[in-house]
Amino acid sequence: MTVRMRAVPLVGGPVEWRGALDLETTPAGVMPRRLPAWTKEQYQDPSVHAPTVMPSGVRLVFRTDARTLEFEVLTSTARLDGDPRPRPTGMLELLVDGALAGRRQAPVGNVLRMAGPGARQRLVAGKPGTVRFAGLPRGMKNVELWLPQQTPTELVALRADGEVLAPLPDGRRRWVHHGSSISHCIEADGPTGTWPVVAAALADTEVINLSQAGNALLDPYVARTIRDMPADLISLKVGINIVALSAFRLRTFGPALHGFLDTIRDGHPDTPLLLISPVSCPALEQVPGPAATGPDGRIAALGDPADVAGGALTLTVVRAELARIAAARQASDPHLHHLDGRTLLGPHEADDLGDGLHPTAAAYRRMGRRFAAYAFAAGGPFG
């Protein structure tokens, strides 16, 4: 028996995009972005744009009585000239009534070829691929399609063999989080395996993940984005990119952080706000950046430890400064909280940093459980 599939509009119809702050219409379909469109005018570096279209935490939400769903997607992934195949595209995960109902590898579409990391890219155009989820439970149900957290993904089409309706209002608290690649979680085993999503699921909270791999640098346009969006809870994980890129000295780091917090507080004066310092990273604890990947594939610090006396930043210095600033501001901001990031992943867990910097998939899930146990517990900052 042939199943009759019906097309469902991706914009202006019953489905709702969550986790994306901009939907860009492309020649193929719809590309979600995790920052508003206006922010594109405020950065020039392609390394800033790329993480915004990696849809960590982005999902398509609706209700349906369909037994079969088809999602046509066009991914864009990279391939070094010396590699036998493109980088993994990640997983598409389907949740039905909050439970994982299926996982599918995202098909390879566009491939960006390059001679080496950071080299000029050459586009090898690909075609959309179709991912199918069949045998879904009977009756009306809540459905979420989570896009791969590490791969820019254009949604080309949605087809269903039943009725598709708008989702019910989400009455849960909204938690907005911003951090680095360690919150973007490219290395997670799937989009629902990132630590913010794991923590949000345990706390029955809706999470919006504005983390930008390599770009948690206290950019003013991020602060203004958070200021202007609805949020019941806010967290900021600050420090690793600042040290690894030598983005600030001690003299400039404090004022930049104060300004970032001041901007957020302009829109959210009383919202619980949790400031999180970096998790452990042995290479950068006592040695300042810049950092680079060594021949063994592990992160290495290139700075001079003697320069710390002159204002160079290490993770140890940044943690102390974050704690100092949080304590100073708490006198007039009782809703500001501070968490030492080593509570989530500490120095005794260095073996869980696959490249010396980024946690493994299992470690990300552990971080999510630890964050939920701390932040959302009774008496915790989000409790």
Side-chain angles (χ1 to χ4, degrees):
M1 177 180 175
T2 301
V3 177
R4 182 174 178 269
M5 306 295 291
R6 293 177 289 182
V8 180
L10 297 173
V11 178
V15 301
E16 181 178 322
W17 292 84
R18 294 182 183 166
L21 302 187
D22 179 38
L23 297 177
E24 181 177 336
T25 301
T26 69
V30 177
M31 171 78 84
R33 294 182 67 253
R34 292 183 300 118
L35 284 177
W38 63 263
T39 63
K40 288 188 286 187
E41 299 177 358
Q42 301 203 5
Y43 57 78
Q44 301 298 322
D45 194 325
S47 70
V48 181
H49 175 73
T52 71
V53 292
M54 294 179 185
S56 187
V58 176
R59 60 272 193 198
L60 200 65
V61 183
F62 52 92
R63 289 181 296 147
T64 184
D65 60 2
R67 303 293 307 283
T68 300
L69 295 170
E70 290 180 349
F71 300 93
E72 192 173 345
V73 299
L74 178 63
T75 60
S76 295
T77 190
R79 179 180 177 180
L80 300 182
D81 288 343
D83 290 346
R85 59 184 62 86
R87 292 176 182 171
T89 51
M91 305 299 294
L92 291 157
E93 295 185 334
L94 192 77
L95 271 61
V96 173
D97 291 332
L100 185 64
R103 305 177 81 230
R104 302 286 187 273
Q105 185 75 39
V108 175
N110 296 325
V111 177
L112 301 172
R113 297 290 300 265
M114 60 186 106
R120 183 178 179 181
Q121 297 177 337
R122 312 184 309 274
L123 173 64
V124 180
K127 296 181 179 180
T130 299
V131 174
R132 197 168 195 261
F133 296 92
L136 301 179
R138 297 181 183 277
M140 192 62 66
K141 46 202 168 284
N142 303 306
V143 170
E144 302 172 44
L145 177 76
W146 290 71
L147 302 181
Q149 76 277 8
Q150 73 270 53
T151 304
T153 303
E154 299 168 65
L155 202 54
V156 178
L158 162 61
R159 294 181 288 270
D161 68 348
E163 188 175 17
V164 173
L165 302 176
L168 297 174
D170 193 330
R172 299 175 298 171
R173 292 185 298 172
R174 172 184 265 206
W175 165 32
V176 175
H177 177 70
H178 173 61
S180 67
S181 59
I182 299 172
S183 296
H184 189 143
C185 304
I186 287 172
E187 300 77 14
D189 55 15
T192 61
T194 68
W195 77 256
V197 173
V198 170
L202 290 171
D204 193 26
T205 301
E206 181 192 11
V207 64
I208 308 296
N209 190 357
L210 302 184
S211 300
Q212 308 289 319
N215 287 282
L217 296 169
L218 302 177
D219 290 309
Y221 55 81
V222 176
R224 291 196 294 275
T225 295
I226 298 172
R227 176 195 65 190
D228 296 340
M229 63 189 298
D232 301 299
L233 313 164
I234 299 170
S235 57
L236 308 171
K237 197 166 180 302
V238 177
I240 187 65
N241 292 153
I242 287 167
V243 174
L245 294 174
S246 297
F248 293 99
R249 306 284 285 186
L250 185 61
R251 160 66 180 82
T252 55
F253 173 58
L257 178 61
H258 277 295
F260 197 90
L261 293 171
D262 286 345
T263 297
I264 292 173
R265 281 306 193 211
D266 286 343
H268 298 282
D270 301 317
T271 302
L273 196 162
L274 178 59
L275 187 62
I276 311 168
S277 68
V279 302
S280 290
C281 175
L284 293 167
E285 293 293 338
Q286 303 295 335
V287 181
T293 302
D296 60 355
R298 297 181 65 79
I299 196 76
L302 306 180
D304 181 358
D307 194 24
V308 173
L313 298 179
T314 65
L315 293 186
T316 299
V317 173
V318 163
R319 288 195 195 95
E321 188 68 357
L322 286 169
R324 183 191 70 79
I325 289 172
R329 293 181 67 102
Q330 282 166 343
S332 58
D333 187 352
H335 301 289
L336 176 68
H337 308 271
H338 172 258
L339 173 66
D340 188 321
R342 293 171 295 183
T343 303
L344 303 180
L345 194 147
H348 61 290
E349 297 170 296
D351 289 345
D352 288 323
L353 301 173
D355 58 358
L357 173 64
H358 297 102
T360 62
Y364 277 132
R365 289 185 176 274
R366 192 185 320 134
M367 288 174 62
R369 293 192 294 270
R370 288 174 177 172
F371 185 87
Y374 163 76
F376 293 98
F382 294 166

